[in-house]
Amino acid sequence: MAGENKIISPDTLRQNRIPPGQHLVRDWPVLHYGSVPHIKIEEWTLHLFGLVNEEKKLNFKEFQALPQIKVFSDIHCVTTWSRLDNLWDGVSAGTLAGLAGLKPEAEYVIAHGAGGFTTNLPLADFLQEDVLIVTRHDGKPLSADHGGPVRLVVPRLYFWKSAKWLNGLEFTAEDHPGFWERAGYHNHGDPWTEERYGRSRF
Ligand SMILES: Nc1nc2c(c(=O)[nH]1)N[C@H]1C(S)=C(S)[C@@H](COP(=O)(O)O)O[C@H]1N2
Ligand SMILES: [Mo]
């Protein structure tokens, strides 16, 4: 799937790119809990911690010095809108995992966003080649509304897994359901099998 340094998310190659129960939008809705934090680039850091060989805290300059790639992907929000044809720039999840070095016990990733937001995913989903820690969308710096300066993008899961205002990636042996997962969303969130809501609440 890799071109030069552009990854085509495999879901964009499906004959029908709209998962069941979703509809297409052309704009890009803004959705999150709470207010938008305005994070200065000079103050932003990304903490790689938990079950790693070498804990790291990267500033924006160090982050930008890592190999940059592009990912072409679709967005599927659990509130039923889908947005196709997004081009993202950033650093691959695998590059960051490799930088810190994962301990063999690591099975899950907890993505941390500003203000205490978390979302959880299995390491296997995080390490897919189209998972990106993003600084730009369609050629422009990511706006604060959409999670800038840096957010996570996990194209193959519902968009709530794509933590905005990302400031930490924690590698764990056990699963720790995050903010929306504890609020009733599904623990995994595959849009193709409609893993929308958790069994406990709905
Ligand atoms: N930090 C943080 N990230 C978050 C959320 C949030 O509440 N806080 N909401 C998630 C949800 S539910 C969605 S649908 C997407 C929306 O991203 P967008 O506003 O760029 O469309 O962000 C996700 N990431
Ligand atoms: Mo959402």
Side-chain angles (χ1 to χ4, degrees):
M1 293 285 171
E4 265 288 287
N5 54 356
K6 178 169 159 188
I7 303 292
I8 307 295
S9 180
D11 284 343
T12 66
L13 302 173
R14 291 176 185 251
Q15 208 156 35
N16 174 13
R17 287 165 68 177
I18 313 292
Q22 296 290 114
H23 70 276
L24 198 60
V25 298
R26 305 249 167 235
D27 57 348
W28 185 9
V30 171
L31 261 132
H32 51 261
Y33 175 78
S35 54
V36 175
H38 290 269
I39 300 156
K40 293 203 185 95
I41 281 221
E42 318 83 75
E43 283 164 18
W44 176 84
T45 57
L46 182 64
H47 193 189
L48 307 176
F49 66 111
L51 295 172
V52 295
N53 296 325
E54 217 179 311
E55 196 170 320
K56 299 260 177 192
K57 205 168 229 183
L58 303 170
N59 63 29
F60 195 76
K61 205 172 154 195
E62 292 162 335
F63 181 79
Q64 290 293 75
L66 296 170
Q68 304 284 317
I69 62 163
K70 293 180 193 296
V71 168
F72 179 75
S73 77
D74 298 337
I75 295 172
H76 308 298
C77 174
V78 73
T79 62
T80 75
W81 58 267
S82 290
R83 185 183 196 279
L84 307 185
D85 300 334
N86 299 276
L87 186 63
W88 310 98
D89 286 78
V91 175
S92 154
T95 297
L96 291 170
L99 188 70
L102 303 188
K103 297 214 192 276
E105 311 89 84
E107 294 284 350
Y108 296 92
V109 181
I110 316 301
H112 293 256
F117 179 86
T118 60
T119 187
N120 55 311
L121 62 162
L123 185 61
D125 288 307
F126 178 76
L127 293 179
Q128 295 297 319
E129 61 170 5
D130 56 351
V131 175
L132 200 64
I133 292 73
V134 162
T135 55
R136 300 173 83 84
H137 175 267
D138 288 351
K140 288 183 235 108
L142 202 59
S143 67
D145 278 356
H146 286 299
V150 180
R151 80 177 295 165
L152 179 63
V153 170
V154 185
R156 287 184 244 187
L157 297 176
Y158 282 123
F159 208 34
W160 84 76
K161 297 287 183 183
S162 294
K164 293 158 78 161
W165 315 294
L166 187 73
N167 60 22
L169 292 167
E170 179 183 4
F171 299 89
T172 62
E174 281 110 42
D175 201 8
H176 298 280
F179 177 82
W180 289 112
E181 293 82 5
R182 289 195 303 269
Y185 284 7
H186 195 279
N187 197 48
H188 184 233
D190 174 5
W192 298 95
T193 54
E194 291 199 75
E195 292 177 338
R196 294 176 187 275
Y197 303 107
R199 218 173 282 170
S200 54
R201 223 184 100 166
F202 292 89

